[in-house]
Amino acid sequence: MDKPNTGGGLFGWVKTLFVGSSAPSPSSTFRFETNLDADDASMSSQLQAAQQYRNIILSAASRFNFPPSVICGIGSRESHWGLALKPQGPAGTGDFGKRGPRAARTTALPPDGGGFGRGLLQIDYDWHEFARTGNWRSPQDNILYGCQVLSQGRQFLQQRINLAPADLLQAAVAAYNCGATATLGALQAGLDVDAKTTGADYSSDVLNRAGWFQQNGWA
């Protein structure tokens, strides 16, 4: 996750059969392609880790109207479902790249010694009060907060640009990383939806991972 609201074949990873309203919902039928091997060792480990939070993920997916596999894909990209954090698990942090001072933070890293990304969905320390003072170590609170951010990005985009359901979903995923304003700007400029995201591949990679999770028991 990066800061919120900053700055071809856009949606090639998504094959969609959509039934329902303009907002995606878990009851809609989304199918995501994946080029990941079925027996990918890293993904298999992440699948096992994500299963610990299955009920929380399903509840958040229902509450915010997202396919559970997409939440799985975000957790996979952000933290490998805790396996890539220091220490491993929901109380770990990531993103140890040094930054310039911001607001009350005068050090290159957060003053508590952790990274900027907090918990399973890597809520950003600089841009979210929740990551500084909230219960981000709680898997439930972290996942719900991340899904709320994802939902807010989708709503922002839906109010400002006309996108098909699959395209809106992918744009919301991109916005989770680079911010809804940056994603909107990319789309309005005719750029790839991932033009402003980390690695210029964030939403494509998340949906690629979502496809793998779909093949392994997640809707």
Side-chain angles (χ1 to χ4, degrees):
M1 173 182 286
D2 253 331
K3 56 189 177 182
N5 298 330
T6 59
L10 290 179
F11 308 104
W13 280 113
V14 189
K15 286 183 176 179
T16 309
L17 297 171
F18 183 79
V19 179
S21 67
S22 58
S25 72
S27 60
S28 306
T29 305
F30 283 93
R31 291 291 178 262
F32 307 107
E33 293 183 349
T34 184
N35 62 9
L36 295 166
D37 291 339
D39 59 353
D40 184 283
S42 176
M43 293 298 294
S44 296
S45 295
Q46 294 173 48
L47 176 67
Q48 185 175 3
Q51 294 287 16
Q52 303 173 68
Y53 316 114
R54 186 176 186 89
N55 290 339
I56 299 171
I57 294 168
L58 293 177
S59 177
S62 176
R63 177 173 174 179
F64 292 102
N65 296 324
F66 287 105
S69 59
V70 170
I71 300 174
C72 288
I74 291 174
S76 173
R77 166 77 180 225
E78 291 287 347
S79 74
H80 289 195
W81 282 105
L83 299 178
L85 301 183
K86 297 181 180 179
Q88 287 189 350
T93 67
D95 188 1
F96 288 86
K98 294 181 179 180
R99 302 179 185 177
R102 182 179 186 276
R105 179 181 57 78
T106 59
T107 53
L109 290 170
D112 63 5
F116 287 100
R118 300 287 158 130
L120 296 171
L121 297 192
Q122 288 291 274
I123 312 303
D124 191 88
Y125 179 92
D126 273 352
W127 296 96
H128 297 271
E129 179 69 21
F130 174 80
R132 297 188 293 274
T133 63
N135 191 22
W136 59 266
R137 295 174 181 83
S138 159
Q140 176 170 294
D141 290 358
N142 194 282
I143 291 169
L144 287 175
Y145 186 89
C147 288
Q148 180 180 346
V149 172
L150 187 65
S151 178
Q152 289 170 342
R154 179 178 62 191
Q155 183 178 18
F156 176 93
L157 292 164
Q158 190 172 30
Q159 292 172 345
R160 290 164 176 81
I161 189 170
N162 185 26
L163 296 172
D167 299 352
L168 178 62
L169 174 60
Q170 184 164 7
V173 173
Y176 185 84
N177 175 254
C178 69
T181 299
T183 301
L184 178 64
L187 293 173
Q188 290 177 331
L191 302 175
D192 187 271
V193 68
D194 276 326
K196 303 294 181 66
T197 67
T198 302
D201 71 348
Y202 184 87
S203 69
S204 294
D205 182 45
V206 164
L207 296 183
N208 188 26
R209 293 166 187 260
W212 191 92
F213 276 95
Q214 279 189 330
Q215 293 180 0
N216 287 273
W218 291 85

